[in-house]
Structure formats: C-alpha cells, structure tokens
Amino acid sequence: MPTTTAQEVKRVLHSEELLHPGDFVFIPKREATKRFESVPVQPPKGRIARWIWKHFGKKFELKPIFEEVWPAHDAIVINCPICNGPVATTNYHPIATLDPLTIEKPITCPYCRTFTFKVVEGKIMLA
C-alpha cells in the first residue's frame, strides 16, 4: 500500500542502475540523423533541351532525409514509487529543473495505473 510521505529521488548514471523506487536517470535529447538519397532527375521535354541535358545536365540529385532518434526531447526514466517499474517522461511532462529534480506535471505509472505521482524539488509523492 502506498505511503503518504515524500520520498527522496536519487540520480543514477545509467539505466541499468535503476534498482530502488525513486531512482532516475536523465536521457538528453538527441539530434536527428541526416542522410542523403540519390534521386534521378526527369529529363526536359524539348529536343534541344533534352540533348543539352543528356550531354551536360545533372542526372541525379541528392535529397536530404532526416530521421528522428529517440528521444526527440529531454527525458527522465524514473522508477515508480509503488511498483518499482521504470516510467519514462514524454514531451507532455516538461522537466523544470534537473538538480533538484522537478517535473511540472504528474506522472501515472503504466504498470499499476491506479496511482499518480509527482516529483517536486527532489521529492517524489503521490498526487
């Protein structure tokens, strides 16, 4: 059964070290990767223009493709104070401060789904 007292949160360096309720790890935003794809260029319609394009024109052009890498925003993975399951914040849970940890909106654990908790000034408590 959950307690009503506030519990301290503790930052760990790697997600493998998340052992106890209230442990959290900060995962910074990663930039999107950029790669290029070669796309064929369509030839022009006129006879003279097509002849000039055939001998001197560009046959392919490079098209940039951006792929997002998780996470596209700063994220916190924190252990639930009830079931000790890992819970990741989304872009709907903005991080106000990192030291001491403050998350602006309450978080509901996806595993137990009955309790919502909030993190304010380094303390985790039920909302």
Side-chain angles (χ1 to χ4, degrees):
M1 197 88 250
T3 60
T4 57
T5 60
Q7 182 179 351
E8 291 284 329
V9 296
K10 184 181 101 179
R11 184 174 182 178
V12 295
L13 296 177
H14 305 285
S15 59
E16 296 87 16
E17 299 171 1
L18 294 172
L19 299 175
H20 306 288
D23 288 355
F24 76 95
V25 64
F26 174 69
I27 302 173
K29 173 183 176 178
R30 295 187 181 142
E31 295 300 320
T33 59
K34 182 179 180 181
R35 65 181 175 91
F36 294 94
E37 187 176 284
S38 182
V39 178
V41 176
Q42 295 296 320
K45 299 290 182 196
R47 285 177 73 192
I48 296 172
R50 187 176 302 202
W51 184 85
I52 292 172
W53 174 80
K54 181 179 178 183
H55 292 291
F56 303 108
K58 232 170 52 167
K59 308 301 184 275
F60 294 94
E61 67 180 8
L62 294 177
K63 177 183 172 187
I65 297 174
F66 295 95
E67 295 176 348
E68 284 199 16
V69 180
W70 189 87
H73 59 281
D74 289 337
I76 296 285
V77 177
I78 188 166
N79 277 0
C80 174
I82 307 300
C83 68
N84 200 28
V87 180
T89 59
T90 64
N91 55 346
Y92 298 112
H93 299 102
I95 302 166
T97 60
L98 197 56
D99 190 28
L101 180 64
T102 301
I103 300 172
E104 292 181 7
K105 293 186 178 180
I107 303 169
T108 301
C109 177
Y111 303 109
C112 52
R113 293 185 186 172
T114 54
F115 297 105
T116 300
F117 59 93
K118 59 184 176 180
V119 181
V120 179
E121 295 182 4
K123 301 210 182 279
I124 189 169
M125 59 195 86
L126 294 176

